[in-house]
């Protein structure tokens, strides 16, 4: 669909808000000239895009400056127009907004995708802290790009959808802009799992009439009972978003028919007292489901969302959710931070805005303590997670924390010094361990004593980035020598565990290379960073292992000619996908000790009577065998056939923080990329972690990397390894 300036103007005129139409039109003219002959991938004239972005922002009720900046948001980056021109014609504010949006798009020199993403997020946070409207424009920009993503190639769609889910959806959620958040979610979901999307869409289409009449009948029943409230409340009914349903299907593992809350009814009234009155009436009319009532009016969510939520059972035992709120709360729920511009009168000015942005400032402060960009992306994901709990100090102050936060997080959320000096805590008057997970409604009293200092193991207990970075920065400041020693020992342990061993001089340069890549000036700096937790070994170990294998492969190459390996003359292929050089139709089996996969460097061993057994080149048994004079002449060159199609079984060893929904999330991650699971075993470890051993089917070793990456991204997963190395 092509957006034109006439559509934009019509939208503006039909709304209640007054805009400076003259400025907006001249911003359009300038953008149109600048983009001139450019077209989008869809073939539409480029100008359609900035106009569409402006249109979305008018719907959100943003101000004239924002609309002008939206129309001009791509000119500095994509055309030769300098920022100065924008500034001269539209003033400082618009220029700052355009510049902010432009900067967010510039590629950095970062070397990995994670780093690149982290760098982008960092810039986004900084831009937001200067003017939050920058990010609102960026969200609208992304929304329109997602709406027109069909014109892009497959890989690009998935990448963008992924990025949208990881960065933009949590931001929209934090800013409380529900309309944008839900649409971004649904559109990303459409590209990430088209099959599931179609399934849910189809399921919703069936019995659509019955569904609509169900909602209508509930609405009219409720309307009848609350008809004496003046002015009359507004009652809306709807089916929840596709992605919302998808999450429930997977997380709860229920069939489509069993999901709660497919239906939601919203009742908007004038006063807070009416909210509670209506709630009473609803509970009188329908049977409430226990433990499903949430009072977000007395304890708002951190994105300032307020409402009463309850789930009740209606006709034929069909459950539905009821949300009750005032109009003020409604504007905040729909437009979030944007309501500040849209309904300025309804919200008490700057204070509320400041309050809303407190989390943002906190995140920027705490991320400045983080040297590692991958850590930052992780932090964004976990700190922006929608689930949160509310607990109280003994004085009654509300502290809100991400779900699963512990006493340590609570203490640091009160004050850094309270955290540092903590010796213990009481929950509801009783002594509780530091790893106690805070529940909503807990009254938590932190016990402190003068001269007490943090303990390193707190890092493993704390959940929030804020607490962790405060603990780390304490150690970073106070204990350098200790950190170096600690970091060195940790690295040695990690090397031992992964069978990384090198002669002393090679080891030194190997570690120096790692340190350099982690942006440490000296090896001691690197050790110190590992010691205080600024660099987390488990996050970089797989890359270190890759480097190590490369190094070993290079060393092997040098020694190659001395190895007693048969080099036969001609080749033939076995159905296993393995070509045994020089032997026709020979029996091939894969060694149990290392389970080679296509793409692995492999070698064969001629067994007595069982054909050729194929090992990975770096399998410990191969290393031992090649040095064993008894097996001389039995090692044989093999390689993978070009067109391997069979699925191979591969076993992954996963260590993760034990939590509810972990298994579901991991299997969802695998299912979403169509990886079959053959076997799955899970057990609890003593330290509160869980160990999962999963056997999956994969076509080749190339795919394995992306599977491991995918699993590593599941919340709580600490380590993923292919077993049988
Ligand atoms: Mn754009």
């Amino acid at each position: 669909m092509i957006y034109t300036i006439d559509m934009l103007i019509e939208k503006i005129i039909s709304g209640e808000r007054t805009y400076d139409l003259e400025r907006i039109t001249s911003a359009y003219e300038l953008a149109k000239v600048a983009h001139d002959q450019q077209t989008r991938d869809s073939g539409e004239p480029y100008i359609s895009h900035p106009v569409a972005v402006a249109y979305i922002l008018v719907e959100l009720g943003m101000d004239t400056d924002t609309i002008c900046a939206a129309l001009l948001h791509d000119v500095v980056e994509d055309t030769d127009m300098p920022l100065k021109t924008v500034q001269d014609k539209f003033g400082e504010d618009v220029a700052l907004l355009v510049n902010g949006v432009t900067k967010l798009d510039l590629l950095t020199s970062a070397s990995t995708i994670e780093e690149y993403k982290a760098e982008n997020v960092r810039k986004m946070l900084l831009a937001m802290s200067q003017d939050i409207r920058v990010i609102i424009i960026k969200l609208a920009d992304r929304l329109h790009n997602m709406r027109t993503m069909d014109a892009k190639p497959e890989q690009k769609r998935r990448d963008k959808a992924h990025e949208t889910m990881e960065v933009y959806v949590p931001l929209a959620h934090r800013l409380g802009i529900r309309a944008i958040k839900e649409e971004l979610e649904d559109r990303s979901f459409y590209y990430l799992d088209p099959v599931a999307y179609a399934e849910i869409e189809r399921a919703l289409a069936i019995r659509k009439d019955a569904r609509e009449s169900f909602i209508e009948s509930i609405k009219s029943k409720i309307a009848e009972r609350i008809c004496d409230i003046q002015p009359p409340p507004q009652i809306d009914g709807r089916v929840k978003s596709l992605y919302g349903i998808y999450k429930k299907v997977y997380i709860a593992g229920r069939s489509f028919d069993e999901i709660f809350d497919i239906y939601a009814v919203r009742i908007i009234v004038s006063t807070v007292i009416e909210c509670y009155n209506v709630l009473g009436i609803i509970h009188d009319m329908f049977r409430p489901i226990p433990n499903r009532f949430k009072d977000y009016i007395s304890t708002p969510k951190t994105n300032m969302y307020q409402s009463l939520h309850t789930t009740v059972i209606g006709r034929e035992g069909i459950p539905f959710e009821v949300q009750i709120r005032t109009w003020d709360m409604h504007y905040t729920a729909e437009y979030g931070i944007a309501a500040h511009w849209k309904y300025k009168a309804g919200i008490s000015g700057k204070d509320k805005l400041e309050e809303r942005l407190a989390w943002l400032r906190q995140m920027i402060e705490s991320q400045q303590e983080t040297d590692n960009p991958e850590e930052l992306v992780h932090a964004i994901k976990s700190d922006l997670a929608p689930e949160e709990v509310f607990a109280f100090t003994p004085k009654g102050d509300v502290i809100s924390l991400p779900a699963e936060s512990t006493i340590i997080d609570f203490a640091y959320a009160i004050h850094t010094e309270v955290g540092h000096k903590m010796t213990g805590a009481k929950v509801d008057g009783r002594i509780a361990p530091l790893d106690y997970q805070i529940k909503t409604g807990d009254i938590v009293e932190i016990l402190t004593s003068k001269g007490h200092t943090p303990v390193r193991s707190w890092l493993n207990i704390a959940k929030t980035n804020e607490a962790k970075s405060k603990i780390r920065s304490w150690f970073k400041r106070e204990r350098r020598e200790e950190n170096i020693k600690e970091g060195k020992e940790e690295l040695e342990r990690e090397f031992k565990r992964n069978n990384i061993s090198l002669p002393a001089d090679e080891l030194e340069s190997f570690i120096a290379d790692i340190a350099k890549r982690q942006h440490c000036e000296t090896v001691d700096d690197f050790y110190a960073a590992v010691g205080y937790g600024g660099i987390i070994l488990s996050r970089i170990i797989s890359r270190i292992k890759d480097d190590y294998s490369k190094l070993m492969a290079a060393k092997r190459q040098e020694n190659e000619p001395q190895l007693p390996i048969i080099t036969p003359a001609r080749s033939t292929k076995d159905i296993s996908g393995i070509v045994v050089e020089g032997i026709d139709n020979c029996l091939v089996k894969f060694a149990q000790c290392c389970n080679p996969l296509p793409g692995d460097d492999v070698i064969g061993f001629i067994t007595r009577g069982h054909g050729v057994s194929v090992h990975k080149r770096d399998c410990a048994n191969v290393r031992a065998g090649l040095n064993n004079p008894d097996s001389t002449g039995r090692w044989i060159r093999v390689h993978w056939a070009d067109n391997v199609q069979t699925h191979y079984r591969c076993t992954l060893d996963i260590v993760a923080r034990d939590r509810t929904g972990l298994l579901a999330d991991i299997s969802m991650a695998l299912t979403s990329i169509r990886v079959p699971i053959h076997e799955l075993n899970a057990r609890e470890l003593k330290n509160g972690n869980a160990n999962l051993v999963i056997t999956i089917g994969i076509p080749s070793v190339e795919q394995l990397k992306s599977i491991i990456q995918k699993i590593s991204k599941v919340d709580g997963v600490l380590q993923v390894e292919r077993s049988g190395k």
Side-chain angles (χ1 to χ4, degrees):
M1 172 168 155
I2 298 180
Y3 283 83
T4 63
I5 185 68
D6 291 342
M7 287 163 65
L8 183 66
I9 289 173
E10 204 183 299
K11 181 84 195 164
I12 289 173
I13 294 171
S14 68
E16 280 165 29
R17 197 187 163 110
T18 44
Y19 282 93
D20 184 341
L21 272 179
E22 209 171 302
R23 283 185 82 206
I24 290 174
T25 318
S26 66
Y28 167 79
E29 294 298 341
L30 188 63
K32 190 170 182 324
V33 171
H35 289 298
D36 190 30
Q37 295 301 315
Q38 290 174 4
T39 53
R40 303 199 83 214
D41 288 349
S42 60
E44 292 170 1
Y46 196 90
I47 189 71
S48 170
H49 166 64
V51 173
V53 174
Y55 191 92
I56 293 168
L57 291 164
V58 170
E59 284 178 318
L60 277 181
M62 298 304 292
D63 57 357
T64 298
D65 278 355
T66 309
I67 304 306
C68 291
L71 288 166
L72 294 163
H73 83 269
D74 277 332
V75 296
V76 177
E77 196 190 343
D78 294 345
T79 77
D80 341 313
M81 185 175 294
L83 189 62
K84 186 82 173 47
T85 313
V86 175
Q87 185 169 349
D88 291 346
K89 295 202 166 151
F90 296 94
E92 187 91 11
D93 269 14
V94 174
L96 275 176
L97 292 174
V98 171
N99 192 32
V101 178
T102 306
K103 272 193 186 152
L104 289 182
D105 283 333
L106 290 181
L107 274 162
T108 64
S109 55
S111 56
T112 66
I113 292 181
E114 283 290 298
E115 251 175 58
Y116 163 66
K117 256 193 321 210
E119 216 27 69
N120 270 352
V121 170
R122 192 193 296 267
K123 280 192 295 188
M124 205 171 304
L125 289 173
L126 288 173
M128 280 163 80
S129 67
Q130 280 150 16
D131 191 330
I132 195 78
R133 288 176 296 177
V134 169
I135 205 66
I136 297 177
I137 297 173
K138 191 70 199 164
L139 284 172
D141 178 40
R142 175 53 61 105
L143 181 60
H144 183 247
N145 285 335
M146 288 305 288
R147 282 179 183 171
T148 51
M149 199 51 77
D150 276 340
K152 301 274 183 197
E154 161 84 21
Q155 188 56 44
K156 181 117 187 182
R157 289 183 219 159
R158 292 183 64 88
D159 287 350
K160 287 281 168 195
H162 212 113
E163 188 184 56
T164 301
M165 276 290 196
E166 289 200 329
V167 178
Y168 291 91
V169 167
L171 281 174
H173 172 78
R174 261 305 169 144
L175 298 177
I177 310 175
R178 191 195 64 85
I180 288 192
K181 179 201 157 209
E182 274 186 10
E183 190 178 338
L184 284 177
E185 243 172 17
D186 276 359
R187 289 189 184 275
S188 306
F189 166 42
Y190 173 74
Y191 293 118
L192 290 174
D193 195 343
V195 177
Y197 186 95
E199 235 163 62
I200 293 175
E201 221 179 22
R202 221 176 312 124
L204 283 177
I206 301 170
R207 289 182 293 145
K208 188 162 183 276
D209 293 346
R211 223 181 296 280
E212 273 162 12
S213 78
F214 172 73
I215 293 177
E216 278 314 309
S217 83
I218 286 173
K219 275 170 62 180
S220 62
K221 262 190 216 157
I222 294 173
E224 226 169 87
R225 280 288 298 270
I226 57 178
C227 60
D228 49 349
I229 297 177
Q230 284 305 331
Q234 176 161 320
I235 307 173
D236 303 320
R238 63 174 186 128
V239 169
K240 285 201 167 173
S241 76
L242 262 65
Y243 185 69
I245 294 171
Y246 172 80
K247 274 198 298 195
K248 292 200 183 199
V249 171
Y250 278 88
I251 290 168
R254 287 164 202 278
S255 80
F256 192 79
D257 294 326
E258 289 176 286
I259 319 164
F260 282 1
D261 316 338
I262 283 191
Y263 308 99
V265 172
R266 180 182 299 143
I267 304 169
I268 307 171
V269 294
S270 310
T271 66
V272 173
I273 291 175
E274 280 167 6
C275 289
Y276 289 96
N277 286 344
V278 170
L279 177 76
I281 294 170
I282 297 292
H283 280 179
D284 184 44
M285 292 174 71
F286 307 98
R287 187 156 55 84
I289 295 180
N291 300 322
R292 299 277 301 177
F293 168 64
K294 288 175 204 122
D295 183 350
Y296 294 122
I297 290 183
S298 59
T299 38
K301 291 192 184 183
T302 30
N303 64 12
M304 302 310 286
Y305 176 89
Q306 285 186 295
S307 270
L308 299 176
H309 285 194
T310 185
T311 305
V312 297
I313 298 189
R315 196 187 60 185
E316 292 156 10
I318 300 172
F320 59 94
E321 187 181 75
V322 182
Q323 302 171 350
I324 308 163
R325 55 174 76 142
T326 65
W327 282 104
D328 261 8
M329 295 172 192
H330 180 63
Y331 297 139
T332 304
E334 289 296 296
Y335 301 103
I337 199 129
H340 173 77
W341 287 272
K342 193 176 177 92
Y343 302 99
K344 240 179 189 157
I347 292 177
S348 52
K350 207 168 157 63
D351 294 349
K352 269 274 170 55
L353 185 67
E354 283 295 299
E355 214 176 302
R356 284 221 185 107
L357 293 180
W359 65 272
L360 173 64
R361 232 175 301 109
Q362 214 173 56
M363 185 169 284
I364 291 166
E365 276 163 24
S366 68
Q367 66 104 347
Q368 275 162 359
E369 301 284 348
T370 308
D371 310 334
N372 185 341
E374 286 171 28
E375 173 75 358
L376 176 66
V377 163
H378 189 76
I380 298 272
K381 279 190 245 166
S382 60
D383 278 4
L384 290 182
E387 296 307 322
E388 45 206 332
V389 295
F390 302 95
F392 301 91
T393 66
K395 281 185 200 152
D397 292 332
V398 180
I399 304 282
S400 78
L401 293 163
E404 295 172 29
S405 291
T406 63
I407 299 276
I408 295 176
D409 300 301
F410 187 92
Y412 278 100
I414 296 176
H415 193 279
T416 310
E417 283 307 304
V418 173
H420 287 344
K421 294 199 173 86
M422 170 174 56
T423 56
K426 283 182 182 173
V427 174
D428 295 339
R430 288 210 197 99
I431 293 285
L434 293 184
D435 61 357
Y436 172 86
Q437 287 189 356
I438 308 276
K439 288 195 279 300
T440 291
D442 282 348
I443 298 173
V444 184
E445 181 187 353
I446 300 295
L447 310 170
T448 58
S449 96
K450 240 193 196 152
H452 198 272
T453 58
V455 179
R456 224 180 268 276
S457 63
W458 287 3
L459 283 170
N460 303 327
I461 300 172
K463 154 99 181 168
T464 57
N465 188 47
E466 190 195 347
K468 283 184 190 171
S469 73
K470 283 176 175 173
I471 298 168
R472 267 180 219 135
S473 62
W474 188 88
F475 278 106
K476 186 179 178 180
R477 247 191 354 257
E478 306 284 330
R479 298 284 150 94
R480 185 170 155 91
E481 288 312 308
E482 201 180 286
N483 289 334
I484 293 176
K485 187 164 159 280
E486 184 89 13
K488 194 168 177 202
E489 284 169 9
E490 212 183 309
L491 189 73
E492 279 166 7
R493 276 196 300 273
E494 199 70 19
F495 275 15
K496 209 167 183 181
R497 229 167 49 81
N498 289 289
N499 294 322
I500 297 178
S501 71
L502 285 166
D505 54 329
E506 287 175 43
L507 187 66
E508 207 169 286
S509 77
F510 185 62
I511 295 174
D513 283 347
I514 301 172
K516 212 160 121 201
R517 207 173 46 235
Q518 295 300 320
H519 312 293
C520 296
E521 274 187 26
T522 67
V523 171
D524 272 358
D525 285 350
F526 172 66
Y527 285 145
V530 173
Y532 74 78
I535 292 173
I536 294 175
L537 282 184
S538 62
R539 296 237 174 84
I540 60 172
I541 192 68
S542 62
R543 176 129 182 223
I544 293 177
K545 270 157 55 183
D546 279 356
D547 289 350
Y548 178 71
S549 328
K550 270 182 219 149
L551 188 68
M552 293 312 279
K555 281 173 77 171
R556 257 203 323 270
Q557 207 92 53
E558 287 170 23
N559 300 330
E560 192 81 327
Q562 294 138 34
L563 294 175
I565 297 175
I566 304 171
T567 310
R570 64 208 167 84
S571 303
T572 129
K573 196 178 100 193
D574 184 86
I575 45 155
S576 59
I578 279 286
V579 177
V580 178
E581 300 180 6
I583 305 182
D584 275 329
N585 293 328
C586 88
L587 181 64
V588 167
K589 59 172 190 153
F590 295 105
Q592 295 288 317
C593 48
C594 54
N595 280 312
L597 290 172
D600 281 341
D601 197 2
V602 284
I603 187 167
F605 180 73
I606 305 168
T607 64
R608 297 186 205 281
H610 302 288
V612 170
S613 156
V614 176
H615 290 262
K616 278 167 67 177
R617 195 56 207 261
D618 56 2
C619 169
N621 290 335
V622 173
R623 256 179 274 153
L626 283 171
N627 294 328
N628 182 349
D630 291 347
S631 60
T632 311
R634 294 174 63 189
W635 292 100
I636 184 165
R637 280 184 206 280
V638 298
H639 63 259
W640 298 97
D642 293 339
N643 54 341
V644 182
Q645 273 158 2
T646 340
H647 265 69
Y648 291 82
R649 278 174 189 241
C650 163
T651 302
L652 296 177
D653 197 321
I654 302 168
V655 178
R657 214 164 13 76
D658 204 2
R659 62 172 176 88
T660 42
L662 176 70
L663 267 181
D665 287 354
I666 289 176
S667 40
M668 179 164 87
L670 289 171
T671 315
S672 72
I673 46 176
R674 306 266 163 250
V675 171
I677 302 173
H678 294 301
E679 216 181 306
L680 197 160
N681 285 304
R683 70 191 169 98
E684 232 176 280
L685 299 176
K686 284 205 177 99
N687 57 5
N689 289 342
N691 177 221
L692 280 75
V693 180
I694 302 186
T695 304
I696 54 176
I698 65 169
S700 79
V701 81
E702 275 88 56
Q703 210 203 355
L704 185 62
K705 264 194 190 147
S706 65
I707 293 171
I708 290 182
Q709 259 172 23
K710 181 94 186 175
I711 299 176
S712 309
K713 282 182 188 148
V714 172
D715 185 27
V717 170
L718 304 170
Q719 189 181 312
V720 185
E721 275 181 345
R722 179 169 156 200
S723 45
K725 269 238 160 160

